[in-house]
Amino acid sequence: MTPELRTERLEFLPYRPEHEDVFVELLRDEEVCRWMGQDLVPEPQIREVFRAILDDIYPQGRFDVWGLWLAGRYVGHAEVKPTGNVEGHELVTALAPGYWGQGLGGEAVRGLLRHAAEHLGLSEAYGMVGAGNTASLAMCRRLGFRHLRDVVGDDGAVTKLLIIPTALGWGDAGERTAAGSPTGALGAAGLGGAAGGEALTGATGGAGLAGATRGEDLTGATRGGGGLAGTVSGERLAGATSGDGLAGAASAGEAG
């Protein structure tokens, strides 16, 4: 069962039916989708993904998925899930644009790292960030992520596959960045449509939110399925037709 988590400012709460509209609003935001490297997804498909979280992901204990809340306001989404890109788990976060540039992206990732280490027994975690998402890449460097390799999608888009020991990045003092910095945390391959699932932020190719009616993850990454998008019966939210996660999120949020 996905546990509730807390950091200095954020609450990580498992989704409930009454959260559907705020979830849809987040994933219908053009800026969020842009930094996740995906197209806008039709609202009915996003609602299908949300129902998959409640009816499939949680009951089967596939992986952990949360809504992020700040002082009672919904501000974003987070996941820790197996990745199809490498042997291991990836972190996914996406923040609403109104909360970028406040250090919340880094704080969310640190909370996920703590959970990965203390509750899942993981010694390392992965993330995917689009090569053009300089703010998220800078945040990841500050947190201690190391670049492993580039993943090139069918459309030529490049996504950075990153790795971090879970013991890093647990400091209580959140880094701060300039207000408006368009990054976020990490995300898999993309809500929007990634074919198969790569990592944190918005990967280059997967199935993503957008098309997910069968995927395994929330996200939808480039190669292994992983995102929000397609999960009605999958393992990730995102759109993976056969993948595993919310995918695209690491880059939607703030560099923070």
Side-chain angles (χ1 to χ4, degrees):
M1 175 180 295
T2 295
E4 294 184 4
L5 306 176
R6 284 173 175 77
T7 60
E8 180 183 1
R9 293 173 292 173
L10 294 171
E11 288 186 286
F12 294 59
L13 302 179
Y15 284 106
R16 300 194 299 267
E18 59 268 30
H19 299 155
E20 180 172 349
D21 287 344
V22 291
F23 176 85
V24 171
E25 182 179 1
L26 174 70
L27 298 180
R28 287 290 293 158
D29 186 279
E30 292 185 7
E31 286 296 295
V32 171
C33 289
R34 179 165 72 93
W35 289 108
M36 288 192 300
Q38 66 177 48
D39 296 329
L40 283 173
V41 177
E43 181 176 322
Q45 290 180 321
I46 301 176
R47 292 189 182 278
E48 187 177 13
V49 169
F50 184 81
R51 289 191 291 271
I53 297 173
L54 300 185
D55 298 340
D56 181 22
I57 304 301
Y58 286 155
Q60 297 189 41
R62 291 178 179 268
F63 54 91
D64 293 324
V65 183
W66 301 268
L68 297 175
W69 299 81
L70 174 68
R73 300 185 304 275
Y74 179 79
V75 299
H77 175 94
E79 303 175 26
V80 177
K81 64 183 184 302
T83 175
N85 303 297
V86 291
E87 290 295 325
H89 287 63
E90 66 187 59
L91 313 179
V92 175
T93 67
L95 292 177
Y99 298 94
W100 295 356
Q102 300 177 37
L104 295 174
E107 184 172 330
V109 173
R110 289 192 296 274
L112 294 179
L113 288 170
R114 182 182 292 275
H115 172 71
E118 294 186 345
H119 298 121
L120 302 180
L122 302 177
S123 61
E124 61 188 17
Y126 297 86
M128 292 288 288
V129 178
N133 191 346
T134 56
S136 283
L137 289 171
M139 178 197 74
C140 288
R141 286 193 295 270
R142 289 196 302 275
L143 290 173
F145 280 87
R146 177 172 58 85
H147 177 254
L148 283 182
R149 60 181 171 86
D150 289 347
V151 177
V152 182
D154 294 339
D155 61 355
V158 177
T159 302
K160 304 288 185 180
L161 175 61
L162 311 174
I163 185 172
I164 185 173
T166 57
L168 292 182
W170 287 17
D172 291 331
E175 296 101 337
R176 294 293 186 271
T177 58
S181 179
T183 48
L186 309 168
L191 281 177
E198 300 251 13
L200 290 182
T201 333
T204 31
L209 257 183
T213 37
R214 292 181 312 158
E216 301 188 335
D217 280 40
L218 291 181
T219 5
T222 339
R223 295 178 306 161
L228 262 180
T231 68
V232 190
S233 65
E235 297 185 339
R236 275 194 193 176
L237 289 181
T241 13
S242 65
D244 311 12
L246 217 181
S251 64
E254 63 176 274

